[in-house]
Amino acid sequence: MEAGFGYYEKVRSGRKRPSPERLMDLMRVLGFTPHHVRVCYLELFGAEPILPAEPPSAHWDAVIAGQQEMACVVTPDGRLRAWNEPFAELFAKAGVPTNWWSWALSGHQAGEILLEWDTQWVPPLMEELRLLHLRHPDELALRDLYVRALADRHLRQVAEAHSGLDDLARPMRHPKRGPGTARIMAARTNAETIMTVLFEAA
């Protein structure tokens, strides 16, 4: 493969038009940072490249702890990396789960909190999981989680949702504040999803 700064300069000047795969190989050879890979890929193709998940920041604990609403940080494969006290209150009985996706897609666990679990919660959760799987195809733990979800007979039967996690109000029973509705506001980086849960008591 022709790879070097000379070839890259031809790409930048428009004299060469590599395929997305060849551009990724070129930037890997030249040691581009993930930031510069995104910039170059967006300049040429107008889309975000698929990149391996970056290590989560060690500073999310401080960010999340300062939030008034329920908040947590989740890695692509579902591990809860950080959460605040309001979020922990949701799990007063059993404690904060190790994996958000395993908990949320398990009806006998999540169904007590996420009301109307199979109709209101599972469809958007499955869409969100599908999107994460496509964004992070090399994450083995995420792939395994997705395959197991697709193999679950009950999860396969749910209706398809129009979107993943969004700000729609869905029924929830808060262990301390009782029944109400919750909106999960999700913000994503290449390393994690930051979820803020806005709860409104009935």
Side-chain angles (χ1 to χ4, degrees):
M1 167 185 152
E2 184 183 1
F5 281 105
Y7 181 79
Y8 176 63
E9 285 304 319
K10 292 177 183 178
V11 171
R12 288 197 66 182
S13 68
R15 288 177 287 159
K16 290 280 186 181
R17 178 79 177 181
S19 67
E21 294 79 15
R22 188 159 189 197
L23 178 66
M24 293 295 284
D25 287 338
L26 174 63
M27 291 187 290
R28 194 174 302 113
V29 168
L30 296 177
F32 277 35
T33 66
H35 170 80
H36 287 103
V37 169
R38 290 189 186 92
V39 169
C40 186
Y41 201 95
L42 280 163
E43 282 182 342
L44 280 177
F45 303 114
E48 287 271 357
I50 293 177
L51 297 173
E54 299 167 16
S57 171
H59 303 288
W60 279 114
D61 285 313
V63 174
I64 296 299
Q67 301 298 315
Q68 180 179 348
E69 306 290 347
M70 293 179 274
C72 66
V73 176
V74 185
T75 61
D77 62 3
R79 286 170 293 134
L80 281 158
R81 294 284 302 192
W83 59 85
N84 61 5
E85 188 57 36
F87 183 79
E89 288 178 356
L90 277 178
F91 310 97
K93 289 184 179 179
V96 177
T98 302
N99 190 291
W100 157 260
W101 287 112
S102 296
W103 176 84
L105 293 174
S106 173
H108 68 278
Q109 295 181 39
E112 293 184 8
I113 296 172
L114 307 180
L115 303 180
E116 300 178 44
W117 173 81
D118 53 348
T119 58
Q120 295 295 313
W121 288 95
V122 173
L125 286 168
M126 286 295 290
E127 279 301 309
E128 189 74 17
L129 185 60
R130 178 173 175 240
L131 182 61
L132 281 168
H133 173 64
L134 293 171
R135 280 180 171 155
H136 305 282
D138 298 325
E139 288 289 306
L140 297 181
L142 174 59
R143 186 189 310 168
D144 180 60
L145 186 71
Y146 184 62
V147 168
R148 282 188 283 116
L150 291 180
D152 185 294
R153 182 172 55 86
H154 183 77
L155 295 178
R156 281 204 316 267
Q157 292 174 346
V158 301
E160 186 173 328
H162 296 297
S163 67
L165 292 174
D166 50 31
D167 67 349
L168 289 179
R170 296 184 174 90
M172 174 184 278
R173 179 184 291 113
H174 193 285
K176 290 188 174 182
R177 298 167 62 184
T181 58
R183 301 173 189 269
I184 296 186
M185 313 296 293
R188 301 166 187 86
T189 72
N190 193 44
E192 59 266 304
T193 298
I194 300 92
M195 294 195 306
T196 302
V197 183
L198 304 178
F199 181 79
E200 184 174 343

